[in-house]
Amino acid sequence: MIFGVFLILVIGKKFYELAASYNKSKWGYAIAGALSYYVGAFILGLVLGVVLLILESDFLETANDFVLTLITIPVGILSCYLFYIFLERKWEKENPDKDSLIDQIGNS
């Protein structure tokens, strides 16, 4: 429980700092970053559930909650990382380097 709260706080802080560096909504993207963790874990749960249903396994019924949590953590972190990289690249394209634009003045 404490680890989960700590993890969400760290994720939120990283997205908050990213949004601040590009002058975007800091709290909005901090919350979106934390939600991306849960979305990734949810998608893994759906995929895992469908695969286990097809295989007719009783893994979900017999597995400990701690084991299921350990399975979802890497996928949640991966989804946060991919969302972070996506936003960073998108915002980088939207904000060209101002120094290079200043150098282009008068060259037309």
Side-chain angles (χ1 to χ4, degrees):
M1 177 71 178
I2 293 174
F3 177 73
V5 172
F6 175 74
L7 185 62
I8 294 303
L9 288 175
V10 169
I11 291 168
K13 183 177 186 286
K14 290 295 183 184
F15 278 89
Y16 183 93
E17 292 169 352
L18 177 68
S21 67
Y22 288 98
N23 296 321
K24 302 292 182 180
S25 172
K26 294 176 267 208
W27 283 106
Y29 283 103
I31 293 169
L35 285 176
S36 69
Y37 174 84
Y38 289 110
V39 168
F42 178 75
I43 291 172
L44 171 71
L46 288 177
V47 170
L48 186 62
V50 168
V51 167
L52 293 175
L53 183 65
I54 291 171
L55 297 176
E56 298 179 3
S57 174
D58 64 345
F59 174 75
L60 291 178
E61 297 165 0
T62 59
N64 186 344
D65 286 341
F66 182 71
V67 171
L68 294 175
T69 301
L70 287 178
I71 292 171
T72 60
I73 288 173
V75 174
I77 291 173
L78 177 64
S79 67
C80 288
Y81 176 74
L82 294 175
F83 184 51
Y84 185 93
I85 295 299
F86 167 76
L87 289 177
E88 189 175 42
R89 289 182 180 170
K90 179 179 181 264
W91 293 340
E92 189 67 34
K93 288 179 185 176
E94 291 174 359
N95 293 332
D97 187 18
K98 293 178 183 176
D99 291 335
S100 67
L101 293 177
I102 290 173
D103 293 338
Q104 293 176 2
I105 295 175
N107 291 337
S108 305

